[in-house]
Amino acid sequence: MRTFWVATAAILAIFVGPATHAQTVSPLAETPIVAVPVPVVPMARAGTRIRVMVMNEVSTKTAKPADRFLMQAETAVLSGDKVVIPAGAKAWGEVVTAEKSGAFGKMGKLAVRPLYIEVRGEQLALVGNSTAAGDNTGEFIFGAVLSPLGLFAPGNNGRLKAGDIIIVELARDYVVPQPNGVAADAVKP
């Protein structure tokens, strides 16, 4: 009978032994798993549209290719409740072509392109274009038919008036620099 109890104890040791051993807690299992929040960094993606206002008139009467002109952001660009690009940020555009108006009611033609917007000491590249032609309602052409003097009446100059709005887009992503050193790669997509 003694062998029966020894055999039973041996069998129990085999099955109970690993179970008690498995129940011992390792230091890693005692450490609770805590979700670490990833900071969301304010940013604007490439292609974000910005409404900019022309500050001074640009006209084919005086403009030449490569002339630069000042614009400003009409409204702020937000990322959640954070301002990425503030309203009033200075933006710059450039005249691409400027064809003056001519006789016989020929309209002036102006083509411009946005260059960049200044934000927190950085120049953010912009894309987009705008072409402005002179307003030709046909009155000069009509005058040419009725009067020989009308043949020399010039068409209107192409122009962007002060206060005109142009829609431009960011050329690439812009992440707002963080004062607390949050890395740009901590951005949630």
Side-chain angles (χ1 to χ4, degrees):
M1 181 83 166
R2 184 167 185 219
T3 55
F4 172 75
W5 289 112
V6 171
T8 304
I11 290 173
L12 285 174
I14 291 172
F15 290 109
V16 175
T20 45
H21 178 60
Q23 290 179 1
T24 59
V25 180
S26 71
L28 293 177
E30 292 175 2
T31 307
I33 297 174
V34 178
V36 178
V38 176
V40 178
V41 178
M43 70 176 302
R45 297 265 183 210
T48 298
R49 291 183 172 198
I50 306 167
R51 292 174 52 94
V52 293
M53 181 176 22
V54 177
M55 298 308 295
N56 299 311
E57 182 174 280
V58 181
S59 170
T60 56
K61 186 174 183 179
T62 58
K64 302 178 295 304
D67 282 354
R68 291 195 174 183
F69 59 95
L70 180 63
M71 302 177 289
Q72 74 177 21
E74 182 187 42
T75 57
V77 174
L78 302 175
S79 174
D81 61 347
K82 305 287 186 201
V83 174
V84 178
I85 299 172
K90 288 183 181 180
W92 294 91
E94 181 178 60
V95 175
V96 178
T97 58
E99 296 177 19
K100 295 185 181 205
S101 61
F104 303 104
K106 179 184 171 207
M107 294 184 297
K109 292 182 183 175
L110 177 69
V112 298
R113 66 181 174 122
L115 295 175
Y116 59 87
I117 189 164
E118 297 173 354
V119 179
R120 296 173 184 86
E122 294 185 55
Q123 294 179 349
L124 309 181
L126 298 173
V127 293
N129 59 33
S130 175
T131 303
D135 298 321
N136 188 346
T137 61
E139 56 192 323
F140 292 118
I141 294 171
F142 181 75
V145 173
L146 294 180
S147 163
L149 296 177
L151 291 173
F152 301 106
N156 292 333
N157 291 308
R159 64 185 174 148
L160 288 172
K161 296 178 266 179
D164 281 352
I165 301 297
I166 299 175
I167 306 295
V168 298
E169 296 179 358
L170 283 178
R172 60 182 175 274
D173 292 352
Y174 171 64
V175 178
V176 176
Q178 299 300 299
N180 59 1
V182 173
D185 59 354
V187 176
K188 285 185 180 178

